[in-house]
Amino acid sequence: MISPYRLGLIFVTASAIAWSLAGLFTQIIPLDSWTILSWRGIFGAIGLAVVILITERGKHWKEIFRIGKPGWLFVIVSGICMVFFINALKETTVAHVAVIYATIPFCAATLAWLVMGEQPEIRAIVASLAALAGVVIMVGLGTEGTLFGDLLAFGMTLGMAVLMIIVRRHPDIAVMPATCLSALFSSVICWPFGDALAVSNQNLLLIALFGLMVSAVGVALFALGAKHLPPIETALIGSLDAPLAPLWIWIAFGEIPGSSTLIGGSIVFGAVMLHIIFNASKSKPAPILS
């Protein structure tokens, strides 16, 4: 019998692996971002709706999707983040997107300071400056990717940090239904800009796998696993997404990141890992939920 703690480790690790496949799917599917987003949102929403139906048995649909004003703000910001994310993967390298996204703990800490008045510790400030230096080295000294794509990746990262603040201020938000609605929202806003009706059956199958595996399976596994782990361990395991994403690209296409990306990325990942480890050393483990 697997303990709840080990089950949590398995689920959160599997969710990180699922999310790390986004860059690979984006590179494999030979379509523009808007067309991919149009169908991906639909399939992702269908998958999440099935998960909600299974996990929320006995609850009425109206009750499940009664998310309130904070929930709708979550839907809008999350949908925009997905648009930024997929376009960033098309405009710059997967490695750049992964490294920039790895700075999200520091973006969230900065927003928490500005919005909620939470004073960051000196260690967090030092780690943030180190991560910023790593991003500057990667973006400023490298020839890979594009500035526009990197800005989209930063916009996505900032948006995800906003989502964290929304959830912290409104912990009663039904995150999975809100994520389901955000997938539909991203599809609606992208549909007029793509050519969704001209997609071949093969590409439609790939997009369906993209939406179901990365969105539905990834979110569901994370939601199921996170409740069995302390938040620090969840963050540490979830950060596996960042180094795994460029690894799949290297395996599939032989795309090796340049020296500036490797140096800058190593600085960012080092800052993130040290920040999480230091927090773990001073934090008491969260109670295991049954």
Side-chain angles (χ1 to χ4, degrees):
M1 187 74 176
I2 301 177
S3 67
Y5 176 78
R6 290 186 178 181
L7 199 61
L9 289 176
I10 294 171
F11 282 167
V12 174
T13 302
S15 73
I17 295 173
W19 283 335
S20 71
L21 294 171
L24 180 62
F25 273 110
T26 305
Q27 296 295 318
I28 289 177
I29 301 171
L31 299 171
D32 62 277
S33 302
W34 306 108
T35 302
I36 293 175
L37 282 160
S38 298
W39 284 111
R40 180 205 163 279
I42 292 174
F43 287 114
I46 292 173
L48 285 168
V50 172
V51 172
I52 294 169
L53 185 63
I54 294 172
T55 58
E56 301 291 341
R57 286 176 295 182
K59 287 189 177 181
H60 195 277
W61 279 103
K62 289 184 178 179
E63 181 183 351
I64 294 172
F65 286 93
R66 190 178 292 118
I67 58 177
K69 290 182 180 179
W72 284 110
L73 179 60
F74 183 101
V75 168
I76 294 171
V77 175
S78 179
I80 293 173
C81 283
M82 185 49 59
V83 174
F84 279 18
F85 180 46
I86 301 301
N87 277 284
L89 289 171
K90 285 290 189 180
E91 294 290 337
T92 191
T93 65
V94 173
H96 273 216
V97 175
V99 171
I100 292 171
Y101 181 67
T103 64
I104 190 170
F106 311 122
C107 291
T110 302
L111 283 178
W113 172 49
L114 294 174
V115 176
M116 304 174 67
E118 293 185 1
Q119 293 295 328
E121 295 183 351
I122 296 298
R123 281 191 302 222
I125 295 174
V126 172
S128 299
L129 292 175
L132 178 62
V135 172
V136 169
I137 290 172
M138 182 189 70
V139 176
L141 301 182
T143 57
E144 300 172 300
T146 65
L147 179 59
F148 178 60
D150 292 340
L151 288 174
L152 286 173
F154 177 73
M156 179 268 297
T157 303
L158 187 60
M160 293 299 292
V162 170
L163 293 180
M164 292 181 180
I165 300 301
I166 293 173
V167 172
R168 287 190 62 183
R169 296 196 70 172
H170 306 278
D172 56 333
I173 290 177
V175 174
M176 200 169 293
T179 305
C180 177
L181 291 172
S182 73
L184 281 179
F185 174 69
S186 67
S187 176
V188 169
I189 61 177
C190 292
W191 194 276
F193 302 102
D195 194 10
L197 298 181
V199 177
S200 67
N201 291 336
Q202 180 180 356
N203 287 331
L204 191 61
L205 176 60
L206 288 173
I207 298 174
L209 290 173
F210 185 7
L212 294 173
M213 289 181 62
V214 178
S215 292
V217 174
V219 171
L221 288 173
F222 184 83
L224 292 172
K227 68 178 182 178
H228 296 302
L229 297 177
I232 293 298
E233 289 192 40
T234 302
L236 182 60
I237 299 170
S239 64
L240 286 172
D241 171 26
L244 283 176
L247 174 64
W248 306 136
I249 299 299
W250 173 64
I251 292 174
F253 303 105
E255 181 181 302
I256 302 174
S259 58
S260 62
T261 300
L262 292 174
I263 294 172
S266 298
I267 294 173
V268 172
F269 294 141
V272 173
M273 290 299 107
L274 287 175
H275 177 65
I276 293 174
I277 291 170
F278 278 133
N279 278 345
S281 66
K282 67 174 185 177
S283 300
K284 294 181 180 179
I288 301 301
L289 301 180
S290 58

